[in-house]
Amino acid sequence: MSIRKLQGSSTEKSLSEQEQLAKINDVRKILGPIADKLPVLCSDASISRYLRARNWNTKKAAKMLKNTLKWRLEFKPEKIRWEDIAKEAETGKVYRANYLDKKGRTVLIFRPGFQNTSDIRGQIRHLVYCMENATTTLNPDQDQMVWLIDFQGWTMSCISVKAARETAHILQNHYPERLGVGILYNPPKVFESFWTLVKPFIEPKTYKKVRFVYSNGPQSQKLMEELFDMDKLDCAFGGRNSAGFNHEAYAQWMREDDKKKFDMMNCGSSSLLPSIMSESQSSETLTPSGISVASDEDDSSSGDEKTLNLENIDEKTQGLPLSCEDVAVSEAVDVGKELKKGELA
């Protein structure tokens, strides 16, 4: 994907394409040799998203990217399969739509009123699975998606500030600049109080992408028609598609996507990261315990501090092949041990 041309604003820097490339290369220099071994995570497009999330501050972007690497090594999102989250997915509380918006962006549908478990750990794994599936199936010319939030059936009893906080942390820190626009469709009046509670956990750039849309509002209807083909859009959002969520059909779709992904990984990935993540720790269900909700936005740590030092990872990955099936397990386990000991923290 080509580097994104930015529009200037009072809060975000406007950089030329050459200046953006220079910033991307600066981040690679901070990361060191490991950047060459993780071509997907450290691609121009990926680094650009982390830079945009940190207003083109190279040190903050590099730290953010390094923290995502640590999180992926621990959480292992690429190993989550449909069967692991099938129970969470039964009600269609989060799922990928089978249509795109008019810009060709993937659409994720959230239905918080259809919450069917109280297991926050399972809910986060389900969310991560959906995000992984959505990002890996984005059109080549897109790096952002649309979120449609349907408030049908939502009540105050659906509220979990802890789940909302951890959700915001995961999405903002490990999937930066993936949101193109978020539509809150027919939120009840009482939701405004909850929105006030969670707003401090949402970064200003993300907050500005959120739109409150009401089915009885002419301007809301106009916005939806500008974004979507109304023949494809679900009836729940004012469209003319009455198909709705079909769990069995969706499950089959996701299993097919899983097979494609794992076939690609087993045949030799272009990125070393899935290889390391697949073997770095023995636990199959490691969760992000002790998630910090503090934003890196105010972090002023220096780029040459230990927090940005990936040399330990680089030493362990030196010489390892890029094929998933050929990774030396003992080397990968050493990486996991170092992460657990906090040597890379």
Side-chain angles (χ1 to χ4, degrees):
M1 182 186 302
S2 61
I3 296 177
R4 190 174 176 178
K5 294 184 179 179
L6 303 177
Q7 295 181 349
S9 71
S10 59
T11 58
E12 185 173 352
K13 294 180 181 178
S14 179
L15 303 179
S16 68
E17 209 165 297
Q18 291 73 20
E19 289 172 324
Q20 291 180 46
L21 277 172
K23 291 282 188 180
I24 290 170
N25 289 330
D26 286 343
V27 170
R28 283 204 177 93
K29 289 177 183 177
I30 294 174
L31 295 176
I34 193 66
D36 295 329
K37 295 178 172 59
L38 304 173
V40 175
L41 189 61
C42 298
S43 65
D44 284 4
S46 177
I47 294 176
S48 176
R49 287 190 295 103
Y50 284 83
L51 280 164
R52 298 200 307 269
R54 290 296 175 257
N55 202 22
W56 297 93
N57 183 306
T58 54
K59 292 177 181 178
K60 290 181 180 180
K63 180 178 181 181
M64 187 184 190
L65 188 54
K66 192 274 292 190
N67 285 339
T68 292
L69 169 59
K70 283 186 61 179
W71 172 76
R72 294 189 72 90
L73 282 166
E74 294 171 357
F75 198 90
K76 297 184 285 186
E78 85 296 339
K79 291 191 70 176
I80 305 174
R81 296 174 181 261
W82 170 258
E83 284 71 19
D84 300 325
I85 53 86
K87 179 175 176 54
E88 291 284 345
E90 283 179 351
T91 59
K93 60 189 177 186
V94 185
Y95 67 96
R96 184 176 126 225
N98 62 356
Y99 53 85
L100 308 175
D101 79 338
K102 287 184 176 180
K103 293 184 178 180
R105 295 177 294 192
T106 293
V107 177
L108 268 187
I109 294 177
F110 296 78
R111 303 195 297 177
F114 287 70
Q115 182 58 261
N116 61 329
T117 74
S118 58
D119 179 13
I120 294 180
R121 162 181 164 178
Q123 293 169 17
I124 293 297
R125 280 175 64 80
H126 176 223
L127 172 71
V128 169
Y129 173 86
C130 292
M131 285 300 297
E132 289 290 301
N133 177 268
T135 55
T136 56
T137 54
L138 283 169
N139 282 335
D141 61 339
Q142 294 290 344
D143 65 353
Q144 294 186 325
M145 62 188 77
V146 176
W147 298 347
L148 286 175
I149 298 91
D150 175 15
F151 282 88
Q152 178 186 349
W154 187 90
T155 65
M156 289 292 287
S157 63
C158 299
I159 290 178
S160 169
V161 174
K162 181 179 180 182
R165 184 177 55 196
E166 294 194 6
T167 295
H169 175 86
I170 293 289
L171 295 178
Q172 292 178 155
N173 289 284
H174 304 311
Y175 298 95
E177 291 297 307
R178 285 302 194 186
L179 177 62
V181 61
I183 302 293
L184 302 180
Y185 197 80
N186 281 339
K189 188 69 175 177
V190 70
F191 177 76
E192 294 179 7
S193 299
F194 177 67
W195 186 246
T196 301
L197 285 175
V198 301
K199 185 178 177 181
F201 305 117
I202 302 175
E203 294 180 359
K205 288 182 65 176
T206 302
Y207 182 82
K208 292 176 181 178
K209 297 177 181 179
V210 175
R211 302 286 183 270
F212 282 71
V213 173
Y214 300 91
S215 56
N216 59 354
Q219 289 301 316
S220 293
Q221 180 69 15
K222 181 180 178 181
L223 173 63
M224 298 302 281
E225 290 175 353
E226 289 174 352
L227 286 173
F228 300 100
D229 179 339
M230 302 305 283
D231 288 330
K232 296 179 179 178
L233 183 67
D234 300 71
C235 288
F237 299 102
R240 292 185 284 271
N241 181 358
S242 60
F245 176 76
N246 183 312
H247 180 260
E248 291 185 5
Y250 189 74
Q252 181 60 33
W253 189 24
M254 292 300 101
R255 290 190 185 100
E256 291 171 0
D257 278 357
D258 285 354
K259 185 178 186 304
K260 292 175 185 176
K261 181 178 74 173
F262 284 96
D263 283 349
M264 181 178 68
M265 289 175 60
N266 290 333
C267 290
S269 174
S270 61
S271 169
L272 182 60
L273 185 58
S275 307
I276 300 175
M277 290 189 292
S278 297
E279 305 293 347
S280 61
Q281 295 181 358
S282 59
S283 172
E284 292 293 326
T285 57
L286 187 61
T287 58
S289 57
I291 287 178
S292 169
V293 299
S295 171
D296 287 334
E297 197 66 50
D298 297 324
D299 193 293
S300 57
S301 58
S302 171
D304 54 8
E305 289 181 1
K306 194 173 183 181
T307 54
L308 295 181
N309 184 0
L310 295 181
E311 291 178 0
N312 291 334
I313 289 183
D314 182 60
E315 289 173 2
K316 294 303 177 183
T317 59
Q318 185 68 39
L320 289 182
L322 296 184
S323 171
C324 295
E325 60 191 16
D326 293 332
V327 172
V329 175
S330 61
E331 295 282 1
V333 170
D334 286 342
V335 176
K337 288 180 178 178
E338 288 186 4
L339 285 168
K340 289 181 72 174
K341 288 189 297 183
E343 293 178 11
L344 300 175

